[in-house]
Amino acid sequence: MLDFSAANLIGGFVFGSIGFVAFRYGKRMHLWKMMLAGFVLTAFPYFIENMLVLYAVGTAGTVALFFLRD
């Protein structure tokens, strides 16, 4: 069951938006690692309902984007 609390909705929106931008950047620059990371950041909020895990995974994924740049 999905948790529709404000913190989860905001986290999903923020990390989904970051993931969408990363996916578009990866697609434009032909960087498949960036595209995959962007897709994962966009999709993972649908599968995680715990707020702390959502923010931990989202933050780790966002930090990982900086290391995937080439």
Side-chain angles (χ1 to χ4, degrees):
M1 189 98 187
L2 291 175
D3 183 17
F4 291 108
S5 68
N8 280 359
L9 290 174
I10 290 170
F13 176 74
V14 168
F15 295 124
S17 299
I18 292 170
F20 176 73
V21 171
F23 180 81
R24 295 284 300 176
Y25 176 77
K27 186 174 179 181
R28 182 168 294 162
M29 297 297 165
H30 302 288
L31 300 170
W32 65 271
K33 290 179 187 177
M34 186 70 76
M35 285 176 54
L36 181 63
F39 177 75
V40 168
L41 269 175
T42 303
F44 89 92
Y46 293 108
F47 301 105
I48 298 176
E49 37 181 87
N50 186 349
M51 182 188 66
L52 294 175
V53 175
L54 176 79
Y55 283 100
V57 171
T59 303
T62 304
V63 169
L65 291 175
F66 289 104
F67 295 110
L68 293 175
R69 293 184 302 170
D70 288 331

